[in-house]
Amino acid sequence: MGSNKKKLINTFQGMRVQTDCGELDEKYLIKIDETIKLALNAYPRTSAMRVDLRYPKDYTVVENNHISKFIASFKAIIRADLKKKKRGKSTPRFIWVKEQDSSNHPHYHIVVFLNGNVYSHLGYFTAKEGNTAARIRQAWASALGVHIIDIDGAVYFTDNATYTLNKADSNYKAQYDDLFYRLSYFAKKATKRYGNGGKNFGSSRK
């Protein structure tokens, strides 16, 4: 007789993954690995910034493309910042997952990859302008069509939110493994809604 026991993934290509969040989706782990490599191929020193995007209290969700709007807005904000300050190049790349447990609205876990020689820190999380944290908040406000003050509490920067990967560092492999371990959480199957016609996971392709 066949077994219905879930196959739990303990490692991926020799790297540790999170095992306390239930079953992981291997195809998501593959995409996570591919996107990290994509970012590093463009910028050998890459900053990866983790953030959670939620909906403000009493916000009415009438569409499901807010994450696409956020990405487009953030890219435009970065282009404008680079042009204004003549700071070099930095094409943002992303991995995101949409989750929903018992709340009325979904929320998003996202990591933003940037050129680490240009953007190395988020800055003060509550800033309205002038740093990367503010640019992320501005992009989410734009995606929702609200003022930035209306999303206070809706953008959450996690502990140890910024990772720096540098191919020239002697501990580069450890940097990579640490980030992959952190992002393996994105591959968990729990709290994702399947079969509703919406995407639960997205990543940059170029």
Side-chain angles (χ1 to χ4, degrees):
M1 294 179 64
S3 173
N4 292 324
K5 186 177 181 180
K6 294 179 180 179
K7 179 184 177 182
L8 296 180
I9 299 171
N10 296 311
T11 61
F12 176 82
Q13 296 183 4
M15 293 181 288
R16 295 182 308 128
V17 297
Q18 297 193 33
T19 57
D20 57 355
C21 55
E23 191 177 5
L24 303 180
D25 193 318
E26 188 171 7
K27 67 177 180 291
Y28 293 161
L29 292 173
I30 292 171
K31 288 294 185 183
I32 292 167
D33 189 45
E34 289 177 346
T35 308
I36 298 173
K37 288 184 170 69
L38 183 69
L40 284 163
N41 285 340
Y43 308 113
R45 186 174 189 270
T46 288
S47 294
M49 301 173 178
R50 262 286 287 118
V51 60
D52 293 340
L53 303 176
R54 299 180 181 273
Y55 290 95
K57 186 178 179 181
D58 300 326
Y59 185 87
T60 301
V61 180
V62 295
E63 56 183 90
N64 61 5
N65 64 341
H66 289 130
I67 194 65
S68 298
K69 288 185 174 182
F70 166 81
I71 288 171
S73 178
F74 186 76
K75 286 180 175 179
I77 289 169
I78 290 296
R79 285 196 299 269
D81 184 61
L82 292 171
K83 183 177 181 180
K84 177 181 179 181
K85 298 179 179 177
K86 298 180 180 179
R87 300 180 63 183
K89 296 181 179 181
S90 185
T91 299
R93 292 174 174 84
F94 308 85
I95 304 171
W96 61 267
V97 291
K98 179 172 70 174
E99 297 187 349
Q100 187 169 358
D101 40 32
S102 59
S103 59
N104 293 328
H105 299 320
H107 61 273
Y108 298 91
H109 301 299
I110 188 166
V111 58
V112 179
F113 298 95
L114 293 166
N115 183 347
N117 290 325
V118 179
Y119 299 104
S120 58
H121 302 286
L122 282 163
Y124 290 111
F125 295 165
T126 57
K128 301 293 191 297
E129 59 182 18
N131 62 24
T132 305
R135 295 176 192 110
I136 290 172
R137 298 176 75 232
Q138 289 165 359
W140 188 230
S142 175
L144 301 184
V146 300
H147 193 278
I148 192 170
I149 63 173
D150 296 323
I151 62 162
D152 284 348
V155 177
Y156 174 71
F157 298 97
T158 63
D159 292 338
N160 302 316
T162 302
Y163 284 72
T164 299
L165 278 68
N166 189 343
K167 285 185 173 182
D169 285 353
S170 59
N171 63 338
Y172 163 70
K173 180 64 166 57
Q175 294 171 357
Y176 195 106
D177 289 357
D178 286 348
L179 177 62
F180 186 84
Y181 177 81
R182 178 77 175 270
L183 298 184
S184 67
Y185 177 86
F186 284 23
K188 70 172 185 170
K189 291 186 176 182
T191 71
K192 292 184 176 67
R193 293 196 169 186
Y194 295 92
N196 60 359
K199 288 184 64 176
N200 293 304
F201 181 99
S203 59
S204 298
R205 297 181 180 179
K206 61 181 182 178

mmCIF file of all heavy atoms in Angstrom, residues 21-57:
data_model
loop_
_atom_site.group_PDB
_atom_site.id
_atom_site.type_symbol
_atom_site.label_atom_id
_atom_site.label_comp_id
_atom_site.label_asym_id
_atom_site.label_seq_id
_atom_site.Cartn_x
_atom_site.Cartn_y
_atom_site.Cartn_z
ATOM 1 N N CYS A 21 8.518 24.824 9.662
ATOM 2 C CA CYS A 21 7.338 25.492 9.106
ATOM 3 C C CYS A 21 6.525 24.550 8.221
ATOM 4 O O CYS A 21 5.697 24.995 7.427
ATOM 5 C CB CYS A 21 7.733 26.752 8.348
ATOM 6 S SG CYS A 21 8.965 26.514 7.051
ATOM 7 N N GLY A 22 6.785 23.253 8.343
ATOM 8 C CA GLY A 22 5.995 22.292 7.586
ATOM 9 C C GLY A 22 6.604 21.963 6.235
ATOM 10 O O GLY A 22 7.772 22.218 5.963
ATOM 11 N N GLU A 23 5.776 21.415 5.381
ATOM 12 C CA GLU A 23 6.222 20.943 4.071
ATOM 13 C C GLU A 23 6.638 22.110 3.177
ATOM 14 O O GLU A 23 5.976 23.152 3.136
ATOM 15 C CB GLU A 23 5.097 20.158 3.410
ATOM 16 C CG GLU A 23 5.512 19.397 2.167
ATOM 17 C CD GLU A 23 4.374 18.577 1.587
ATOM 18 O OE1 GLU A 23 3.234 18.688 2.099
ATOM 19 O OE2 GLU A 23 4.627 17.835 0.617
ATOM 20 N N LEU A 24 7.744 21.931 2.452
ATOM 21 C CA LEU A 24 8.237 22.942 1.519
ATOM 22 C C LEU A 24 7.974 22.503 0.084
ATOM 23 O O LEU A 24 7.995 21.321 -0.231
ATOM 24 C CB LEU A 24 9.739 23.172 1.723
ATOM 25 C CG LEU A 24 10.196 23.597 3.120
ATOM 26 C CD1 LEU A 24 11.711 23.775 3.140
ATOM 27 C CD2 LEU A 24 9.503 24.865 3.577
ATOM 28 N N ASP A 25 7.751 23.484 -0.774
ATOM 29 C CA ASP A 25 7.526 23.224 -2.198
ATOM 30 C C ASP A 25 8.863 23.332 -2.927
ATOM 31 O O ASP A 25 9.454 24.414 -2.982
ATOM 32 C CB ASP A 25 6.521 24.235 -2.754
ATOM 33 C CG ASP A 25 6.004 23.854 -4.125
ATOM 34 O OD1 ASP A 25 6.824 23.402 -4.960
ATOM 35 O OD2 ASP A 25 4.800 24.014 -4.378
ATOM 36 N N GLU A 26 9.331 22.240 -3.473
ATOM 37 C CA GLU A 26 10.659 22.219 -4.079
ATOM 38 C C GLU A 26 10.782 23.170 -5.262
ATOM 39 O O GLU A 26 11.830 23.777 -5.475
ATOM 40 C CB GLU A 26 11.036 20.806 -4.510
ATOM 41 C CG GLU A 26 12.491 20.688 -4.967
ATOM 42 C CD GLU A 26 12.920 19.252 -5.187
ATOM 43 O OE1 GLU A 26 12.065 18.345 -5.108
ATOM 44 O OE2 GLU A 26 14.122 19.038 -5.419
ATOM 45 N N LYS A 27 9.719 23.331 -6.027
ATOM 46 C CA LYS A 27 9.814 24.221 -7.188
ATOM 47 C C LYS A 27 10.029 25.674 -6.756
ATOM 48 O O LYS A 27 10.672 26.454 -7.467
ATOM 49 C CB LYS A 27 8.581 24.108 -8.079
ATOM 50 C CG LYS A 27 7.279 24.603 -7.528
ATOM 51 C CD LYS A 27 6.173 24.467 -8.584
ATOM 52 C CE LYS A 27 4.824 24.960 -8.066
ATOM 53 N NZ LYS A 27 4.294 24.065 -7.009
ATOM 54 N N TYR A 28 9.538 26.023 -5.573
ATOM 55 C CA TYR A 28 9.792 27.363 -5.054
ATOM 56 C C TYR A 28 11.237 27.502 -4.589
ATOM 57 O O TYR A 28 11.867 28.550 -4.779
ATOM 58 C CB TYR A 28 8.842 27.687 -3.900
ATOM 59 C CG TYR A 28 7.388 27.827 -4.283
ATOM 60 C CD1 TYR A 28 6.384 27.734 -3.334
ATOM 61 C CD2 TYR A 28 7.005 28.051 -5.609
ATOM 62 C CE1 TYR A 28 5.045 27.866 -3.673
ATOM 63 C CE2 TYR A 28 5.677 28.181 -5.964
ATOM 64 C CZ TYR A 28 4.696 28.084 -4.989
ATOM 65 O OH TYR A 28 3.368 28.211 -5.323
ATOM 66 N N LEU A 29 11.774 26.453 -3.983
ATOM 67 C CA LEU A 29 13.185 26.481 -3.580
ATOM 68 C C LEU A 29 14.084 26.667 -4.799
ATOM 69 O O LEU A 29 15.075 27.406 -4.743
ATOM 70 C CB LEU A 29 13.549 25.193 -2.853
ATOM 71 C CG LEU A 29 12.904 24.966 -1.477
ATOM 72 C CD1 LEU A 29 13.241 23.573 -0.961
ATOM 73 C CD2 LEU A 29 13.350 26.026 -0.478
ATOM 74 N N ILE A 30 13.748 26.028 -5.886
ATOM 75 C CA ILE A 30 14.525 26.171 -7.124
ATOM 76 C C ILE A 30 14.480 27.618 -7.601
ATOM 77 O O ILE A 30 15.513 28.204 -7.971
ATOM 78 C CB ILE A 30 13.989 25.223 -8.214
ATOM 79 C CG1 ILE A 30 14.277 23.764 -7.832
ATOM 80 C CG2 ILE A 30 14.614 25.553 -9.572
ATOM 81 C CD1 ILE A 30 13.592 22.757 -8.730
ATOM 82 N N LYS A 31 13.292 28.230 -7.576
ATOM 83 C CA LYS A 31 13.144 29.613 -8.025
ATOM 84 C C LYS A 31 13.902 30.580 -7.113
ATOM 85 O O LYS A 31 14.487 31.565 -7.583
ATOM 86 C CB LYS A 31 11.666 29.994 -8.080
ATOM 87 C CG LYS A 31 10.895 29.342 -9.213
ATOM 88 C CD LYS A 31 11.383 29.830 -10.564
ATOM 89 C CE LYS A 31 10.552 29.276 -11.695
ATOM 90 N NZ LYS A 31 11.071 29.695 -13.031
ATOM 91 N N ILE A 32 13.879 30.316 -5.818
ATOM 92 C CA ILE A 32 14.620 31.158 -4.880
ATOM 93 C C ILE A 32 16.106 31.122 -5.206
ATOM 94 O O ILE A 32 16.770 32.159 -5.296
ATOM 95 C CB ILE A 32 14.358 30.699 -3.431
ATOM 96 C CG1 ILE A 32 12.905 30.992 -3.030
ATOM 97 C CG2 ILE A 32 15.325 31.379 -2.457
ATOM 98 C CD1 ILE A 32 12.468 30.306 -1.754
ATOM 99 N N ASP A 33 16.637 29.929 -5.386
ATOM 100 C CA ASP A 33 18.053 29.764 -5.707
ATOM 101 C C ASP A 33 18.387 30.451 -7.030
ATOM 102 O O ASP A 33 19.399 31.154 -7.142
ATOM 103 C CB ASP A 33 18.382 28.274 -5.767
ATOM 104 C CG ASP A 33 19.866 27.992 -5.889
ATOM 105 O OD1 ASP A 33 20.654 28.611 -5.160
ATOM 106 O OD2 ASP A 33 20.250 27.153 -6.721
ATOM 107 N N GLU A 34 17.556 30.279 -8.032
ATOM 108 C CA GLU A 34 17.798 30.882 -9.342
ATOM 109 C C GLU A 34 17.788 32.405 -9.266
ATOM 110 O O GLU A 34 18.614 33.066 -9.918
ATOM 111 C CB GLU A 34 16.732 30.417 -10.343
ATOM 112 C CG GLU A 34 16.859 28.965 -10.756
ATOM 113 C CD GLU A 34 15.749 28.517 -11.684
ATOM 114 O OE1 GLU A 34 14.729 29.244 -11.809
ATOM 115 O OE2 GLU A 34 15.868 27.439 -12.285
ATOM 116 N N THR A 35 16.891 32.966 -8.477
ATOM 117 C CA THR A 35 16.786 34.430 -8.407
ATOM 118 C C THR A 35 17.948 35.038 -7.646
ATOM 119 O O THR A 35 18.441 36.118 -8.005
ATOM 120 C CB THR A 35 15.445 34.829 -7.761
ATOM 121 O OG1 THR A 35 14.371 34.173 -8.439
ATOM 122 C CG2 THR A 35 15.238 36.342 -7.860
ATOM 123 N N ILE A 36 18.400 34.385 -6.588
ATOM 124 C CA ILE A 36 19.595 34.879 -5.888
ATOM 125 C C ILE A 36 20.779 34.904 -6.851
ATOM 126 O O ILE A 36 21.527 35.889 -6.907
ATOM 127 C CB ILE A 36 19.916 34.012 -4.666
ATOM 128 C CG1 ILE A 36 18.778 34.054 -3.632
ATOM 129 C CG2 ILE A 36 21.215 34.491 -3.998
ATOM 130 C CD1 ILE A 36 18.962 33.086 -2.478
ATOM 131 N N LYS A 37 20.954 33.830 -7.600
ATOM 132 C CA LYS A 37 22.060 33.763 -8.569
ATOM 133 C C LYS A 37 21.903 34.817 -9.655
ATOM 134 O O LYS A 37 22.889 35.418 -10.105
ATOM 135 C CB LYS A 37 22.129 32.367 -9.193
ATOM 136 C CG LYS A 37 22.639 31.279 -8.252
ATOM 137 C CD LYS A 37 22.776 29.956 -8.970
ATOM 138 C CE LYS A 37 23.510 28.914 -8.130
ATOM 139 N NZ LYS A 37 22.745 28.476 -6.971
ATOM 140 N N LEU A 38 20.664 35.064 -10.082
ATOM 141 C CA LEU A 38 20.396 36.094 -11.086
ATOM 142 C C LEU A 38 20.850 37.464 -10.592
ATOM 143 O O LEU A 38 21.511 38.224 -11.321
ATOM 144 C CB LEU A 38 18.901 36.116 -11.405
ATOM 145 C CG LEU A 38 18.410 37.078 -12.486
ATOM 146 C CD1 LEU A 38 18.897 36.627 -13.855
ATOM 147 C CD2 LEU A 38 16.882 37.140 -12.473
ATOM 148 N N ALA A 39 20.516 37.781 -9.349
ATOM 149 C CA ALA A 39 20.916 39.060 -8.769
ATOM 150 C C ALA A 39 22.428 39.165 -8.657
ATOM 151 O O ALA A 39 23.026 40.211 -8.971
ATOM 152 C CB ALA A 39 20.265 39.237 -7.402
ATOM 153 N N LEU A 40 23.079 38.091 -8.235
ATOM 154 C CA LEU A 40 24.533 38.106 -8.056
ATOM 155 C C LEU A 40 25.279 38.151 -9.379
ATOM 156 O O LEU A 40 26.381 38.716 -9.458
ATOM 157 C CB LEU A 40 24.965 36.879 -7.257
ATOM 158 C CG LEU A 40 24.692 36.949 -5.754
ATOM 159 C CD1 LEU A 40 24.758 35.565 -5.133
ATOM 160 C CD2 LEU A 40 25.684 37.889 -5.075
ATOM 161 N N ASN A 41 24.700 37.587 -10.423
ATOM 162 C CA ASN A 41 25.335 37.663 -11.739
ATOM 163 C C ASN A 41 25.356 39.107 -12.246
ATOM 164 O O ASN A 41 26.278 39.506 -12.964
ATOM 165 C CB ASN A 41 24.599 36.768 -12.739
ATOM 166 C CG ASN A 41 24.887 35.297 -12.535
ATOM 167 O OD1 ASN A 41 25.887 34.936 -11.913
ATOM 168 N ND2 ASN A 41 24.015 34.440 -13.026
ATOM 169 N N ALA A 42 24.349 39.872 -11.868
ATOM 170 C CA ALA A 42 24.300 41.284 -12.260
ATOM 171 C C ALA A 42 25.192 42.132 -11.363
ATOM 172 O O ALA A 42 25.902 43.028 -11.832
ATOM 173 C CB ALA A 42 22.862 41.793 -12.208
ATOM 174 N N TYR A 43 25.165 41.852 -10.059
ATOM 175 C CA TYR A 43 25.910 42.646 -9.086
ATOM 176 C C TYR A 43 26.599 41.689 -8.108
ATOM 177 O O TYR A 43 25.945 41.164 -7.198
ATOM 178 C CB TYR A 43 24.974 43.593 -8.331
ATOM 179 C CG TYR A 43 24.123 44.426 -9.251
ATOM 180 C CD1 TYR A 43 22.742 44.257 -9.313
ATOM 181 C CD2 TYR A 43 24.709 45.365 -10.113
ATOM 182 C CE1 TYR A 43 21.965 45.005 -10.175
ATOM 183 C CE2 TYR A 43 23.934 46.111 -10.986
ATOM 184 C CZ TYR A 43 22.570 45.932 -11.011
ATOM 185 O OH TYR A 43 21.795 46.665 -11.885
ATOM 186 N N PRO A 44 27.896 41.463 -8.292
ATOM 187 C CA PRO A 44 28.609 40.525 -7.407
ATOM 188 C C PRO A 44 28.542 40.900 -5.933
ATOM 189 O O PRO A 44 28.733 40.046 -5.077
ATOM 190 C CB PRO A 44 30.042 40.580 -7.940
ATOM 191 C CG PRO A 44 29.891 40.956 -9.378
ATOM 192 C CD PRO A 44 28.738 41.920 -9.399
ATOM 193 N N ARG A 45 28.276 42.156 -5.654
ATOM 194 C CA ARG A 45 27.962 42.564 -4.277
ATOM 195 C C ARG A 45 26.500 42.985 -4.268
ATOM 196 O O ARG A 45 26.132 44.027 -4.819
ATOM 197 C CB ARG A 45 28.854 43.711 -3.810
ATOM 198 C CG ARG A 45 28.666 44.062 -2.331
ATOM 199 C CD ARG A 45 29.686 45.104 -1.868
ATOM 200 N NE ARG A 45 29.650 45.293 -0.422
ATOM 201 C CZ ARG A 45 28.876 46.185 0.202
ATOM 202 N NH1 ARG A 45 28.085 46.981 -0.498
ATOM 203 N NH2 ARG A 45 28.904 46.288 1.522
ATOM 204 N N THR A 46 25.672 42.161 -3.681
ATOM 205 C CA THR A 46 24.220 42.348 -3.718
ATOM 206 C C THR A 46 23.670 42.514 -2.314
ATOM 207 O O THR A 46 24.079 41.811 -1.386
ATOM 208 C CB THR A 46 23.542 41.137 -4.402
ATOM 209 O OG1 THR A 46 23.807 41.172 -5.802
ATOM 210 C CG2 THR A 46 22.036 41.150 -4.191
ATOM 211 N N SER A 47 22.739 43.449 -2.176
ATOM 212 C CA SER A 47 21.992 43.604 -0.929
ATOM 213 C C SER A 47 20.626 42.947 -1.094
ATOM 214 O O SER A 47 19.948 43.161 -2.104
ATOM 215 C CB SER A 47 21.801 45.084 -0.576
ATOM 216 O OG SER A 47 23.030 45.706 -0.293
ATOM 217 N N ALA A 48 20.239 42.137 -0.115
ATOM 218 C CA ALA A 48 18.922 41.502 -0.110
ATOM 219 C C ALA A 48 18.166 42.023 1.108
ATOM 220 O O ALA A 48 18.640 41.893 2.235
ATOM 221 C CB ALA A 48 19.065 39.989 -0.052
ATOM 222 N N MET A 49 16.989 42.610 0.883
ATOM 223 C CA MET A 49 16.252 43.283 1.948
ATOM 224 C C MET A 49 14.879 42.652 2.118
ATOM 225 O O MET A 49 14.082 42.608 1.191
ATOM 226 C CB MET A 49 16.130 44.771 1.625
ATOM 227 C CG MET A 49 17.494 45.442 1.468
ATOM 228 S SD MET A 49 17.389 47.151 0.904
ATOM 229 C CE MET A 49 19.139 47.605 0.905
ATOM 230 N N ARG A 50 14.618 42.147 3.331
ATOM 231 C CA ARG A 50 13.386 41.423 3.651
ATOM 232 C C ARG A 50 12.346 42.358 4.268
ATOM 233 O O ARG A 50 12.630 43.112 5.172
ATOM 234 C CB ARG A 50 13.682 40.287 4.641
ATOM 235 C CG ARG A 50 13.856 38.941 4.032
ATOM 236 C CD ARG A 50 12.552 38.314 3.569
ATOM 237 N NE ARG A 50 11.735 37.866 4.691
ATOM 238 C CZ ARG A 50 10.523 38.352 4.953
ATOM 239 N NH1 ARG A 50 10.000 39.318 4.218
ATOM 240 N NH2 ARG A 50 9.832 37.875 5.978
ATOM 241 N N VAL A 51 11.139 42.261 3.750
ATOM 242 C CA VAL A 51 10.064 43.116 4.243
ATOM 243 C C VAL A 51 8.736 42.378 4.102
ATOM 244 O O VAL A 51 8.579 41.516 3.226
ATOM 245 C CB VAL A 51 10.043 44.464 3.461
ATOM 246 C CG1 VAL A 51 9.827 44.227 1.985
ATOM 247 C CG2 VAL A 51 9.001 45.411 4.017
ATOM 248 N N ASP A 52 7.803 42.690 4.973
ATOM 249 C CA ASP A 52 6.436 42.176 4.877
ATOM 250 C C ASP A 52 5.510 43.326 4.491
ATOM 251 O O ASP A 52 5.599 44.420 5.064
ATOM 252 C CB ASP A 52 5.967 41.583 6.206
ATOM 253 C CG ASP A 52 6.735 40.328 6.590
ATOM 254 O OD1 ASP A 52 7.333 39.705 5.690
ATOM 255 O OD2 ASP A 52 6.731 39.985 7.784
ATOM 256 N N LEU A 53 4.638 43.064 3.551
ATOM 257 C CA LEU A 53 3.675 44.060 3.098
ATOM 258 C C LEU A 53 2.278 43.605 3.491
ATOM 259 O O LEU A 53 1.840 42.523 3.101
ATOM 260 C CB LEU A 53 3.755 44.238 1.573
ATOM 261 C CG LEU A 53 5.116 44.638 1.002
ATOM 262 C CD1 LEU A 53 5.051 44.687 -0.522
ATOM 263 C CD2 LEU A 53 5.572 45.983 1.559
ATOM 264 N N ARG A 54 1.595 44.439 4.240
ATOM 265 C CA ARG A 54 0.237 44.136 4.671
ATOM 266 C C ARG A 54 -0.705 45.266 4.257
ATOM 267 O O ARG A 54 -0.264 46.339 3.838
ATOM 268 C CB ARG A 54 0.197 43.937 6.187
ATOM 269 C CG ARG A 54 1.080 42.782 6.664
ATOM 270 C CD ARG A 54 1.037 42.605 8.167
ATOM 271 N NE ARG A 54 1.897 41.513 8.604
ATOM 272 C CZ ARG A 54 1.517 40.246 8.672
ATOM 273 N NH1 ARG A 54 0.268 39.918 8.357
ATOM 274 N NH2 ARG A 54 2.355 39.308 9.077
ATOM 275 N N TYR A 55 -1.975 45.009 4.375
ATOM 276 C CA TYR A 55 -2.963 46.033 4.053
ATOM 277 C C TYR A 55 -3.295 46.847 5.301
ATOM 278 O O TYR A 55 -3.391 46.284 6.408
ATOM 279 C CB TYR A 55 -4.229 45.400 3.492
ATOM 280 C CG TYR A 55 -4.036 44.822 2.114
ATOM 281 C CD1 TYR A 55 -3.729 43.478 1.933
ATOM 282 C CD2 TYR A 55 -4.134 45.634 0.983
ATOM 283 C CE1 TYR A 55 -3.532 42.955 0.666
ATOM 284 C CE2 TYR A 55 -3.933 45.115 -0.289
ATOM 285 C CZ TYR A 55 -3.629 43.781 -0.441
ATOM 286 O OH TYR A 55 -3.425 43.258 -1.693
ATOM 287 N N PRO A 56 -3.473 48.155 5.134
ATOM 288 C CA PRO A 56 -3.844 48.974 6.296
ATOM 289 C C PRO A 56 -5.190 48.526 6.870
ATOM 290 O O PRO A 56 -6.030 47.951 6.160
ATOM 291 C CB PRO A 56 -3.949 50.391 5.698
ATOM 292 C CG PRO A 56 -3.186 50.345 4.414
ATOM 293 C CD PRO A 56 -3.326 48.949 3.904
ATOM 294 N N LYS A 57 -5.374 48.800 8.129
ATOM 295 C CA LYS A 57 -6.641 48.475 8.773
ATOM 296 C C LYS A 57 -7.786 49.175 8.050
ATOM 297 O O LYS A 57 -7.681 50.346 7.670
ATOM 298 C CB LYS A 57 -6.601 48.911 10.247
ATOM 299 C CG LYS A 57 -7.811 48.490 11.052
ATOM 300 C CD LYS A 57 -7.674 48.921 12.507
ATOM 301 C CE LYS A 57 -8.901 48.508 13.310
ATOM 302 N NZ LYS A 57 -8.780 48.944 14.735
#
